[in-house]
Amino acid sequence: MTGSPARVEGTLTSWDDDRGFGFLTPVSGRGRAFVHITAFGRGTARPRVGDAFSYEVDRHGDRGPAAVRVAAVGTLWSAPRARAPRPTRAGRVALVVGLVVVLGVAAAVRTLTRAPTSPQLDGLAPWLVGGLVGVNVLTALVYALDKSAARRGRRRVPERTLLSLGLLGGWPGALVAQQLLRHKTSKRSFQLAFWATVAVNVLVVTLSLALLR
């Protein structure tokens, strides 16, 4: 039976308070770990450079070693209370744009399946809609699991998995999950990659519908 991961003691050597992340450097001075504000336990004071913490190291993330279950030295870690996040103004705009695109694609599919010049699409509409709904529900659930893992200091879902689900058509569900959970919204590199997958998916779908006309 595997025991609990070893805890490391270290110092917060850099911290961006506006964005809520920084780096912890262990006492040995080697192997610093990325730390996000969500990794700190309940009751922990706002982190400041120079503060001492104990933590576990998760090496399965996409950005390298990450500190999880972070607590002030001499205290026990406890999961932070879940907060009810709200979408930002930009997030609400993104949700509206996503909804318009989805409705436009759905309308195009419906028009093509009813067109007499497209017999190859007869009977496919329910399967297309069902598949789209399924992948979006799955994507939203995976985002929720990753958010829970981040809050509890558990192994995270790889970012490439989240992006792949969006590329396969689950980006509307991803967009909703991002804004309702306030998850992955502040990481610029992820957002750039995410919107690139959205553009590729919309382009592929548009070209496919045009070829089937």
Side-chain angles (χ1 to χ4, degrees):
M1 183 175 181
T2 304
S4 300
R7 294 189 68 80
V8 179
E9 290 191 2
T11 303
L12 189 66
T13 50
S14 69
W15 181 253
D16 186 329
D17 200 56
D18 291 333
R19 301 175 68 183
F21 69 82
F23 288 90
L24 282 163
T25 301
V27 174
S28 66
R30 296 182 179 180
R32 74 173 190 166
F34 172 85
V35 60
H36 191 266
I37 188 65
T38 55
F40 292 89
R42 183 187 308 173
T44 304
R46 194 72 182 181
R48 296 182 302 176
V49 172
D51 288 348
F53 295 97
S54 67
Y55 55 95
E56 297 171 12
V57 179
D58 180 2
R59 302 184 184 279
H60 299 90
D62 294 297
R63 67 169 80 237
V68 297
R69 298 176 179 266
V70 183
V73 171
T75 65
L76 297 177
W77 181 88
S78 59
R81 292 187 179 91
R83 293 178 295 178
R86 297 181 180 179
T88 60
R89 179 178 298 179
R92 290 194 291 270
V93 172
L95 287 173
V96 172
V97 171
L99 179 61
V100 170
V101 173
V102 170
L103 291 176
V105 172
V109 171
R110 183 178 177 82
T111 300
L112 285 174
T113 54
R114 289 191 169 191
T117 56
S118 302
Q120 66 270 38
L121 289 178
D122 288 345
L124 286 181
W127 294 99
L128 292 174
V129 173
L132 183 63
V133 171
V135 73
N136 278 276
V137 170
L138 175 63
T139 301
L141 288 175
V142 173
Y143 268 81
L145 288 173
D146 189 48
K147 177 68 174 183
S148 177
R151 183 180 295 119
R152 296 179 180 277
R154 296 177 179 173
R155 181 178 298 184
R156 303 287 300 279
V157 177
E159 289 187 351
R160 59 180 176 274
T161 299
L162 300 177
L163 294 173
S164 295
L165 287 170
L167 186 62
L168 292 174
W171 62 265
L175 189 59
V176 171
Q178 287 177 21
Q179 297 305 320
L180 293 184
L181 300 174
R182 292 296 295 274
H183 187 49
K184 293 292 187 181
T185 56
S186 61
K187 186 178 178 182
R188 184 174 179 81
S189 60
F190 180 84
Q191 283 295 310
L192 290 174
F194 171 74
W195 284 107
T197 63
V198 173
V200 171
N201 178 261
V202 172
L203 178 61
V204 170
V205 171
T206 301
L207 292 176
S208 298
L209 292 175
L211 292 173
L212 291 172
R213 295 189 64 176

